[in-house]
Each structure stands twice: as C-alpha cells, then as structure tokens.
Amino acid sequence: MKCKWGIMILMVLVLMFSLSFTAFAQLPGGIPREETMIADQLTGRVGMPDNFNLWAGWRNQDRGLQQLLLEPLWTVDYATGEIISGSAAEPPEYSEDLMQMTIHLREGVDWNDGVPFTADDVAFTIELHVDTPGLLYHGPMAEFVESVTVVDEHTVTVNLTRPSSRFHAHFLDRWGCLRIMPKHIFEDVEDVMAFKYNPPVGTGAYRLLDYDPAGFWTLWERREDWDRSPTGILYGEPQPQYVLFQWFESEEGKILAQLRNELDMAQHTEEGLRVILDRSDTARAWRRDWPWVVNIDPCITGILLNNMVEPYDNKDVRWALTLAIDIVDYAAIATDLMAPVSPLHLPPVPAYLEHFFLPMEDWLKEFEIDIGNGEMFKPYDPDVSQRILAEAEERGYPIPDDPDIILEQFGMGWWKYAPDVAAQLLENNGFSRNAEGNWLLPDGSPWKIDIVSDPPVAHHHMKNALAAAEQWRNFGIDATVYATEAYNDLTMMGDYSVSTTWPAAEPWGAGVDLIRTFDVWHSRNLTPIGETVAIGPGGAARWSDPRMDEIIEAMEVTDPIAEEEKTIELGIEALKLVIEEMPTIATYGYTGPIAYDEAYWTNWPGAENPYSQPYQHWPNLKYMLPFLEKAE
C-alpha cells in the first residue's frame, strides 16, 4: 500500500507539472527530433560547461565524454561478460616476468579532426601522466612506469618498475580509466591542468556540436567519418545522427518529458518508473514484466562496518548483526523484492554467477561458524529465493518458474534469519539485555547504532539504511538512520561506526579478475581513523588480514588472461575469507529503474536481449547506438 500511495503522489505531481510547464528537453534549433536520441544526464548539471579536460579533474563524464567522444583501449561490458578491445586491437600482452606490457593498437582509427591515432598518442599520454602531478592518473603511472617504447605505429611497450599482471587495468574502462590523449593537441599546451580542451578532440564516432552555457545540456553529432572510430569499425554506423544529454532538476520533470516522448532513456526512482510504465504506451523497462528493473548492475550494496571501532572490531558481533536480519523482509523494505540478494561480496552479474556463485554453492551450504561452547552453526540459507517468491506472490506479482530466471532475478541464497544464534554470539561476548529486551554493550550502556547514509531516499545507500535500522530495532538494538550530505567525508575519514557506503569495491563486472574488489583490504592500504582512505567502498571498513595479503600478492603475479583458472581459484579463496570474517555485510545487487521510450527509437537492450549494458551514463552507450532502430 505504501508503494501505491507513492505512485499516486507522483502522478499528482506530474499532472501539476504538466499544467504549469509547456516544454521539456527542447532541442536546439534545426536539430530534427527523429534523428536525435535524448538521454538523461545522471550526475547533475555541469558546473564548468566549457571545460572538457577530464584528465585534470572530474568533468561530468556522462555528458557524453565517456560515452561518445573518447574511445578507451578496453571496455568492460557486464551484460555480456565481455571485455571489448576498442582502441586496442586485442588484449594486453605481458612478458613472462611481468615487467613489460605490450599494447597492439587497432588500425584505421583517426581523431575526429582527421589526424591518425597512433602509438605516439599512447606513449605521450603515459609519459605526460608520469611527469605531471595533479593529473588523475599521475599516481599509478609514476609508480609503475619505468619507460615507454614506441615499437611501431601501432605497437607500444610499457616497461614497468616492478612485476604487475594488471597494469592494463588503469586503461580498462568501466566508469573511468586513463583514456588516451591526442598528442598533436596537448604537446603544445603549457599548463595541462588549466587547459580547457575546448573544443574536445576524440576518436569516438561523435563530435561536440553545442552545449548549454548554464550546464543543462550537451549536444553531439555523428562524425561523417564515423567508420574511422573503433565503434564504427567494430559495430557499424551509430544510428542517431545526434545525441543530446539533458539534466532535469526534478524527478517529476523527467517523468513528464518521457511521457511526452521528449526523453528516450532515463533512470528514475522505482516509483517514477511505475508511473512511466503505467501512463505511457511507448515506454518499456529493462524487463517487460515485474521486476522491471536492471538487476545485473556490477555494484553490490549493503552495510559497511568500521572494524577499528568497538564492538565492530569483533567478528562475533559482525556475524550477530548479519544473523539478526531477515533478508526477505529487508528486501521488501529496500526494493519491494525487486533486487537479487547476494551472500558474496560480489554483484550477481552473469559472469560471476557462472565463475563464483554457482561453484561456491556447495561450500556455502557446508560453511560453519563457531557460536561458542564447541557448538557450530551453518548460517547459509539456500531457500531465500523461494521465500522471496512466496512473498512476491502474496503481493500479486507474476512469479517465474524457470530456475535460471529465478536465480538471475532473485539470487541464489543468503544468510539465515537466526536471532537466537545472534543473541548467543553477543552474550558470549558480554552483551546483555535489559528488562525491556533492549541490548546493552558489555559495559552496561545501551547499544545505539547511528547508520550514516546518503540523504536521497531513492539511493540504495538510504534504502539499505532504512531496512537495516528496521531489522536491528526488531532485534532490540536502538538503530537509527543518520542522513547527512557529509556521509562520504565521515565514512572516508572513519568518523562513523556503521554506514551504507558500498560494502565492497566494485569488481570489473566481466572476466574473472576480482583484484579490484580485494586490493582495498591489503594491509598496505589500511588507514587509521582520521586519515582519508584511498578507496571508500570496502576500504572504509578499515579491515585487513595477513591471509588476505597473501591472496592479493598471489593475484598480483597471476595473469588473469593467461591464467584464468588460477585467477578464479584465488578469487574464491578471497571470497571465502571475507565471508568467514564478515568485515562488511553484502545484501543485494544494485538495481536500476531504467525506462526506454520507443516512440522514436527501438531495439533497446533488455533482459530478453541483453546485447549491451543498459545505462545511458555508462561509457558502453557508444556500443549500443549502432543497434538502435528508428521507430516506424
């Protein structure tokens, strides 16, 4: 009922907006709507609209810089599980001693000003970053690069300062990477940090046409020589001649624009998505039926615990908090049951289901924790998805019966709801209850948890915070949500006990390499409270373990491309250790309420045809555009 009221309120607001405003997402003069794909800009209004120098700082990359202008060497596509060689012709080549990495570039690529893209551009980019403090990738380039050798026009060899099997990851685009710079532009720039790079030059299939000086929109036009871009070479001609990225000041304005066919793809709240699907004859979501949302996102949501603060430095306490959660009720509060639960500190995307989740299922069923007095307990519940289905059926949602679809949509299993075991773990460690049944810390004071969260109610940080607080209050802990715009600073500095910042660093989402998730937990990255951690997701938990150090160091000298089986084994070993210690609590995979409008463009990627990742703000949008079709 609560969700229905939310939809009704949104409908009223949309009606009010439609009576008050006459137009949204207006195109600049002379740009035909039927030739234009219009997308929501997720990261907000552009603060410096005339500055496109994304090497020198954050520049609202999703205004088209990463999706249309610049083509990276390699790109992850988590929907297909593929790592796409873009400006590179093939995967990186490492020497046997891992002291060299060779890049073979794709031939036939030009910058959009007609200058050929060559190995000189790659070498120049790396060397400039080595020599220029302040550039975003100065740190890793200065740390790892000994020298760069241009072998020929399309071949570059990077000589490393120490063995590394993953130096290429700095050039692997997921949401940000070191993109190659045009040497012929930047070699004459005196102050690269102050240079605005306007107009920007790229190897992508589109060039900048116009932008709003107030930062509300950016317009791109397909290059006449689109076939000289990696996208064109790989997939053919992008179908929209123009692409417009537009920022909307309100959810209601964005909804109305899409209802009026003035917005082709956008990410909404769950309630907003339902309004779109309810009122539009031309809209669709990632799934055509419930649960509608994208649930193959490569982010894992959950609860971050500060392992340097009592009592969260105690593994028994961390496990007690986990077992005090009824994940079905939790998922109902957070996502109306529309997200796949995950017992691993990984998102349940297709590549990881195949290589990690399913291979670990038998181990999860037999896994035990010590709950005191020589008693062991098996915490894994393989029947969670069936309980989610039963609850969904009670709510009137259509229930799939295909086991593969159930796994994909709702997950494999999670931890048992076992408040009695949670109580036993706490009592073993000196906790007690007062006469009202509320938990007291070992020193006799009331146990109070302030869950630090990002304020927007539509964000999964807040959704997890509200659900966790409800579960722990039911268990007898005084848990409240502390929503603050300073949540990121508090978490990064360690000035918190419990937060809902991502519980683990995001993996690539494709391939089998998980070092991106676990490296934040190496002891060399352990940061004391009061100092900012290098990477907040996972790393802000301030946890390490000598066993994890050994696993990470083994990963570092394992080639994830040539030694895939060993890479998987090390990933599983690391996942088991994190489950055993539970430094953070993973809950469910991120879900995206994306809506497509089919009035002008069709053949969007969907669950029935996941040929590409689904979002307008991710860099992979460039690879979606050749497959769109004009609506009749």
Side-chain angles (χ1 to χ4, degrees):
M1 183 60 105
K2 181 178 176 183
C3 293
K4 290 180 180 178
W5 274 111
I7 294 170
M8 291 174 64
I9 292 169
L10 267 176
M11 285 183 172
V12 170
L13 289 171
V14 168
L15 179 60
M16 290 170 61
F17 267 69
S18 66
L19 293 173
S20 304
F21 295 89
T22 58
F24 292 86
Q26 292 296 303
L27 287 170
I31 303 300
R33 175 67 178 94
E34 66 274 10
E35 297 290 343
T36 308
M37 198 278 282
I38 305 176
D40 166 36
Q41 184 172 302
L42 191 70
T43 60
R45 185 165 69 91
V46 180
M48 294 181 285
D50 62 340
N51 193 327
F52 296 89
N53 185 358
L54 51 70
W55 294 278
W58 172 254
R59 297 289 183 263
N60 290 84
Q61 298 185 66
D62 66 329
R63 69 188 293 198
L65 298 181
Q66 65 183 11
Q67 306 104 306
L68 303 178
L69 177 72
L70 296 167
E71 297 258 13
L73 295 174
W74 303 280
T75 301
V76 171
D77 193 302
Y78 56 84
T80 64
E82 180 185 5
I83 294 178
I84 300 167
S85 292
S87 297
E90 58 189 54
E93 178 185 329
Y94 284 94
S95 61
E96 189 172 344
D97 62 1
L98 301 177
M99 290 293 291
Q100 285 186 338
M101 183 191 77
T102 299
I103 305 168
H104 299 281
L105 298 179
R106 187 173 300 283
E107 297 184 19
V109 176
D110 287 347
W111 296 97
N112 63 21
D113 59 1
V115 175
F117 171 80
T118 70
D120 287 334
D121 295 305
V122 178
F124 173 82
T125 300
I126 295 173
E127 290 169 346
L128 185 65
H129 278 74
V130 170
D131 297 337
T132 312
L135 290 178
L136 292 182
Y137 281 83
H138 166 71
M141 294 303 107
E143 178 184 357
F144 280 100
V145 176
E146 178 69 33
S147 63
V148 185
T149 302
V150 175
V151 179
D152 58 42
E153 188 177 5
H154 297 101
T155 310
V156 183
T157 294
V158 183
N159 303 297
L160 304 176
T161 57
R162 64 173 186 268
S164 173
S165 61
R166 288 168 174 78
F167 178 70
H168 69 280
H170 298 295
F171 305 87
L172 177 58
D173 202 358
R174 187 189 170 287
W175 179 289
C177 69
L178 178 48
R179 299 181 174 89
I180 306 305
M181 310 167 85
K183 177 183 177 181
H184 65 285
I185 300 293
F186 278 88
E187 64 183 345
D188 297 325
V189 173
E190 289 188 12
D191 186 351
V192 67
M193 296 301 297
F195 183 51
K196 291 187 176 183
Y197 193 44
N198 187 1
V201 174
T203 54
Y206 288 80
R207 67 178 185 87
L208 178 69
L209 184 60
D210 201 359
Y211 61 89
D212 175 29
F216 284 90
W217 53 264
T218 307
L219 180 65
W220 304 84
E221 182 180 25
R222 187 180 60 219
R223 289 167 53 178
E224 291 184 4
D225 62 339
W226 55 263
D227 56 341
R228 303 294 291 179
S229 70
T231 294
I233 294 170
L234 285 167
Y235 300 111
E237 182 179 10
Q239 294 307 295
Q241 183 177 352
Y242 305 95
V243 178
L244 176 72
F245 293 95
Q246 168 105 14
W247 180 63
F248 293 86
E249 294 185 88
S250 68
E251 171 77 356
E252 297 78 24
K254 187 161 49 173
I255 290 171
L256 183 58
Q258 198 150 34
L259 290 176
R260 296 172 57 154
N261 309 124
E262 296 172 351
L263 179 60
D264 296 306
M265 62 186 309
Q267 188 163 336
H268 298 274
T269 63
E270 281 83 355
E271 293 80 8
L273 175 62
R274 289 176 185 172
V275 172
I276 293 287
L277 297 177
D278 222 25
R279 294 173 61 92
S280 172
D281 295 328
T282 56
R284 65 155 296 177
W286 169 253
R287 297 185 179 279
R288 291 193 178 273
D289 299 306
W290 184 84
W292 303 302
V293 295
V294 176
N295 54 9
I296 57 166
D297 193 289
C299 299
I300 185 68
T301 77
I303 304 163
L304 196 73
L305 304 170
N306 192 334
N307 286 240
M308 286 187 176
V309 172
E310 293 182 348
Y312 312 100
D313 58 346
N314 185 329
K315 177 174 72 173
D316 285 353
V317 173
R318 300 193 294 264
W319 262 108
L321 290 172
T322 305
L323 297 174
I325 292 173
D326 180 346
I327 193 61
V328 176
D329 189 45
Y330 188 107
I333 296 168
T335 69
D336 195 22
L337 305 171
M338 290 193 289
V341 298
S342 176
L344 307 185
H345 288 67
L346 284 181
V349 299
Y352 298 150
L353 285 172
E354 175 186 355
H355 294 299
F356 299 103
F357 282 80
L358 292 174
M360 289 183 65
E361 187 169 23
D362 289 340
W363 179 86
L364 286 166
K365 290 177 180 177
E366 297 303 317
F367 170 67
E368 296 180 318
I369 60 173
D370 186 347
I371 60 174
N373 302 319
E375 187 178 355
M376 305 299 289
F377 176 72
K378 293 182 178 180
Y380 181 67
D381 181 359
D383 298 323
V384 163
S385 61
Q386 295 304 316
R387 293 200 289 123
I388 290 175
L389 287 174
E391 178 65 22
E393 190 169 25
E394 281 193 22
R395 297 184 178 208
Y397 293 134
I399 303 302
D401 53 16
D402 185 325
D404 292 336
I405 293 177
I406 292 171
L407 173 65
E408 178 188 347
Q409 292 185 5
F410 304 106
M412 188 172 67
W414 206 73
W415 309 112
K416 293 175 181 174
Y417 177 48
D420 53 337
V421 176
Q424 185 173 334
L425 286 168
L426 293 176
E427 289 164 356
N428 291 345
N429 286 275
F431 289 74
S432 60
R433 294 182 193 259
N434 61 19
E436 289 76 33
N438 297 319
W439 283 100
L440 305 176
L441 294 168
D443 64 5
S445 62
W447 189 5
K448 180 175 176 55
I449 299 178
D450 288 324
I451 305 173
V452 177
S453 174
D454 196 10
V457 294
H459 200 292
H460 286 287
H461 292 339
M462 177 59 79
K463 293 179 179 182
N464 272 277
L466 294 172
E470 178 73 12
Q471 296 297 303
W472 292 339
R473 281 195 297 267
N474 292 341
F475 181 60
I477 300 172
D478 182 9
T480 57
V481 177
Y482 175 46
T484 171
E485 293 181 353
Y487 87 99
N488 190 57
D489 292 337
L490 294 173
T491 302
M492 297 287 280
M493 295 290 288
D495 189 12
Y496 80 101
S497 296
V498 179
S499 169
T500 49
T501 299
W502 315 113
E506 301 168 12
W508 296 113
V512 298
D513 186 13
L514 301 185
I515 197 169
R516 195 171 191 262
T517 293
F518 299 116
D519 187 60
V520 299
W521 287 320
H522 193 288
S523 60
R524 63 175 171 243
N525 296 318
L526 192 62
T527 306
I529 291 174
E531 296 181 15
T532 302
V533 296
I535 298 178
R542 290 171 161 78
W543 171 80
S544 68
D545 189 295
R547 294 169 292 175
M548 183 60 78
D549 286 0
E550 292 180 10
I551 296 170
I552 294 168
E553 288 161 14
M555 285 181 171
E556 289 173 340
V557 294
T558 302
D559 186 335
I561 300 170
E563 300 176 274
E564 182 176 281
E565 186 174 337
K566 184 178 179 182
T567 302
I568 292 172
E569 290 174 0
L570 290 168
I572 289 176
E573 190 178 343
L575 288 166
K576 289 179 178 179
L577 177 58
V578 176
I579 287 172
E580 177 187 332
E581 296 295 326
M582 200 60 73
T584 67
I585 305 171
T587 53
Y588 61 85
Y590 182 100
T591 56
I594 191 83
Y596 306 121
D597 188 70
E598 297 184 312
Y600 288 95
W601 302 100
T602 63
N603 196 40
W604 299 99
E608 78 283 2
N609 181 27
Y611 66 82
S612 171
Q613 68 79 40
Y615 295 137
Q616 78 280 8
H617 48 282
W618 277 61
N620 311 54
L621 177 69
K622 62 176 73 72
Y623 303 133
M624 183 196 305
L625 299 183
F627 296 95
L628 294 185
E629 299 172 2
K630 286 187 178 181
E632 293 295 334

